[in-house]
């Protein structure tokens, strides 16, 4: 039997929660175990239900999704948070990422994009598609140039191959694309990605991308240098 991903839905609009529930529960490996309409309820439900993943809205009355994300990630490190955003207007998305969210999903995303994002965030793989990763980084690029000396020191612990993989992650490449670029199998890439994240102390892939851009690596960084 396929292991199910247990999901908590958080949005202040009931119809949106209903729509998401219908989409998610049409998949055999996804199950919605609870709902919340604001940040405080989300924190309480996360503690009571211990979901694998929280689908979190940002703009809600009372406690917003950023504060709720920070509390949930701090108190329940095994729970991942996937943020819902309108993106075109929502400048809080990056704040939620910095608070510990593992990625974000556009509210107008297609059904297959939502399902893929949930599964990806749950397994800690490519939390965001390369296209969305680049959109996020372009949107918040002015905030990513603060010094990160501790990150520079951590880079010295990477092997040459791990450094290549890190640069490829910084460019927003998927595991398959990294494998093609470096001429290795996707399973080998996954192993390298896991080691890179562990050595850098990055919670997941998107936080490694943010670290890379804070250190000055971007889309023009050569993955095979």
């Amino acid at each position: 039997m396929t292991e199910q991903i247990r999901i908590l839905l958080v949005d202040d609009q009931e119809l949106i929660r209903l729509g998401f529930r219908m989409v998610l529960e049409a998949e055999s490996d996804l199950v919605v175990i609870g709902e919340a309409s604001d940040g405080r309820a989300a924190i309480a439900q996360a503690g009571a239900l211990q979901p694998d993943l929280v689908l979190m809205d940002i703009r809600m009355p009372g406690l917003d999704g950023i504060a709720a994300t920070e509390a949930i990630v701090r108190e329940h490190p095994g729970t991942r948070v996937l943020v819902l955003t309108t993106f075109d207007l929502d400048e809080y998305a990056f704040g939620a990422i910095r608070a510990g969210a593992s990625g974000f999903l556009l509210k107008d995303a297609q059904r297959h994009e939502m399902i893929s994002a949930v599964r990806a965030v749950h397994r800690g793989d490519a939390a965001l598609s390369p296209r969305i990763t680049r959109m996020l980084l372009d949107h918040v690029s002015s905030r990513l140039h603060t010094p990160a000396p501790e990150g520079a020191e951590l880079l010295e612990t990477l092997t040459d191959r791990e450094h290549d993989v890190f640069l490829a992650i910084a460019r927003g490449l998927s595991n398959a694309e990294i494998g093609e670029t470096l001429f290795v199998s996707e399973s080998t890439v996954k192993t390298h990605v896991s080691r890179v994240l562990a050595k850098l102390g990055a919670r997941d892939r998107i936080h490694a991308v943010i670290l890379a851009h804070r250190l000055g690596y971007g889309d023009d960084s050569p993955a095979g240098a």
Side-chain angles (χ1 to χ4, degrees):
M1 182 177 177
T2 303
E3 180 182 359
Q4 290 187 313
I5 301 173
R6 302 165 66 252
I7 303 167
L8 171 64
L9 293 179
V10 183
D11 195 289
D12 62 334
Q13 298 185 47
E14 184 177 0
L15 285 178
I16 288 180
R17 298 199 307 271
L18 176 61
F20 286 162
R21 177 185 283 271
M22 292 175 64
V23 168
L24 295 169
E25 293 196 328
E27 303 297 316
S28 61
D29 61 330
L30 307 180
V31 58
V32 176
I33 60 172
E35 299 183 14
S37 59
D38 60 57
R40 289 188 175 82
I43 294 171
Q45 288 283 66
L49 301 175
Q50 297 291 311
D52 298 312
L53 182 143
V54 179
L55 201 55
M56 177 77 74
D57 189 18
I58 292 182
R59 299 183 180 183
M60 296 180 290
L63 194 69
D64 65 24
I66 296 177
T69 293
E70 185 174 13
I72 290 171
V73 170
R74 181 179 65 250
E75 297 171 14
H76 311 287
T79 297
R80 296 187 181 276
V81 178
L82 178 60
V83 171
L84 294 168
T85 176
T86 55
F87 189 75
D88 56 339
L89 297 175
D90 200 342
E91 296 184 355
Y92 299 109
F94 187 61
I97 297 293
R98 295 191 66 177
S102 296
F104 71 92
L105 180 69
L106 304 184
K107 279 195 173 182
D108 61 355
Q110 298 296 310
R111 174 185 178 132
H112 72 276
E113 291 178 323
M114 172 183 288
I115 293 169
S116 295
V118 167
R119 289 172 177 159
V121 167
H122 174 65
R123 67 176 179 263
D125 189 8
L128 308 174
S129 71
R131 178 180 67 86
I132 297 300
T133 298
R134 293 177 186 126
M135 286 173 62
L136 171 64
L137 292 170
D138 288 343
H139 188 63
V140 299
S141 59
S142 63
R143 308 182 190 186
L144 293 176
H145 297 298
T146 54
E150 71 284 356
E153 293 177 1
L154 290 174
L155 282 185
E156 297 177 1
T157 68
L158 301 181
T159 66
D160 289 344
R161 177 56 81 189
E162 289 166 354
H163 192 265
D164 290 343
V165 170
F166 175 66
L167 293 180
I169 292 173
R171 294 169 57 199
L173 300 186
S174 67
N175 284 350
E177 291 170 331
I178 294 174
E180 292 175 1
T181 301
L182 301 180
F183 304 104
V184 296
S185 69
E186 190 169 348
S187 61
T188 297
V189 173
K190 289 181 179 179
T191 298
H192 286 313
V193 169
S194 296
R195 290 175 180 169
V196 168
L197 297 182
K199 288 185 177 182
L200 297 181
R203 176 178 171 85
D204 48 41
R205 196 184 191 97
I206 187 59
H207 292 95
V209 172
I210 291 172
L211 174 61
H213 281 253
R214 289 184 63 197
L215 291 171
Y217 297 100
D219 290 342
D220 56 351
S221 300

